[in-house]
Amino acid sequence: MPAGPNPPGGPPSSSGKPGGKRPAIGLQIKLPCTSMADVKSRYGAELRQARFFIRTRSLRPADTLVRLEAQLSGGAVAFRAAAVVARAVEPILGGPEPGMALQLVAVDEAGRDLIASLGGQPPPPLKADPVRPAPPSPPPRPSIMSMPGIKPPPPPDTPKETTAAPPPPSASQAPAAEKPSPVQDTGPAQHNGKASGFFGWLKRLFGGSPQPRV
């Protein structure tokens, strides 16, 4: 059964053995150009045909897949593309400069605009690299108290409340001392019992009150 058409943005299928894996490399090159206008004037004839020649002595065999990133001399990305090695030019004394002629099979938006501005037919859009999902976090470890046969420790004893004795009153709060009640003077009989008995005896002896002396 013949192989189906290639998906847009992907490399062409290998013409080798069925199920054979084609070698692939990634290349990042810096162009001797300071702007996209310089890229058009220097590589316009090639890019119009969706081709690009890389001058290098590190050659790869034909049908090698290439993930290409072309940068300007300042470091900005000019375009990205997926390509396949169409032919390799071996270094020969007195011959052309060695390198690899690439056939662009998918180009990013910047490259498609560049090729369209040169009057060429842009290749399919380049597929973005798939975003790998983050690995799931490991499940939390069960608590040791949830294991069978493990009993939780008893709650700590709560201290009993103690009632403190009230502090002794200060000097400013001490109650005033009770004042002695005044002694009422009730006459000689209350102060001197002997004098009261003597005058009573004279009164009984003389039959009346003693007369005061002159």
Side-chain angles (χ1 to χ4, degrees):
M1 180 181 292
N6 300 324
S13 59
S14 174
S15 57
K17 297 179 181 180
K21 192 172 183 180
R22 184 181 300 188
I25 60 172
L27 289 180
Q28 186 182 70
I29 61 174
K30 185 165 289 188
L31 307 176
C33 305
T34 59
S35 63
M36 296 301 291
D38 293 344
V39 176
K40 290 180 182 180
S41 62
R42 189 178 183 92
Y43 304 99
E46 298 177 68
L47 292 174
R48 188 182 299 111
Q49 301 176 6
R51 293 178 179 272
F52 195 75
F53 187 80
I54 299 177
R55 293 168 175 81
T56 179
R57 292 182 178 272
S58 301
L59 304 178
R60 295 292 188 271
D63 294 337
T64 300
L65 300 176
V66 179
R67 188 81 171 185
L68 177 65
E69 179 180 284
Q71 298 179 354
L72 300 177
S73 59
V77 178
F79 64 89
R80 294 184 177 92
V84 63
V85 177
R87 61 185 178 88
V89 180
E90 299 287 345
I92 301 175
L93 183 62
E97 195 172 4
M100 295 183 297
L102 304 181
Q103 179 66 48
L104 307 182
V105 295
V107 191
D108 64 355
E109 289 300 323
R112 286 171 58 84
D113 294 342
L114 176 62
I115 295 174
S117 65
L118 295 169
Q121 181 64 34
L126 181 66
K127 289 184 178 180
D129 293 333
V131 179
R132 297 181 180 180
S137 58
R141 295 182 179 180
S143 174
I144 190 173
M145 295 305 173
S146 61
M147 296 182 179
I150 302 298
K151 295 182 180 181
D157 296 336
T158 56
K160 297 182 180 180
E161 296 182 359
T162 57
T163 304
S170 59
S172 59
Q173 297 178 354
E178 296 183 359
K179 296 180 179 180
S181 57
V183 179
Q184 296 181 359
D185 191 2
T186 57
Q190 296 181 359
H191 291 282
N192 194 343
K194 294 182 179 181
S196 177
F198 178 73
F199 284 106
W201 177 75
L202 290 177
K203 185 178 181 180
R204 289 193 302 271
L205 180 61
F206 294 100
S209 303
Q211 297 296 324
R213 293 179 182 181
V214 179

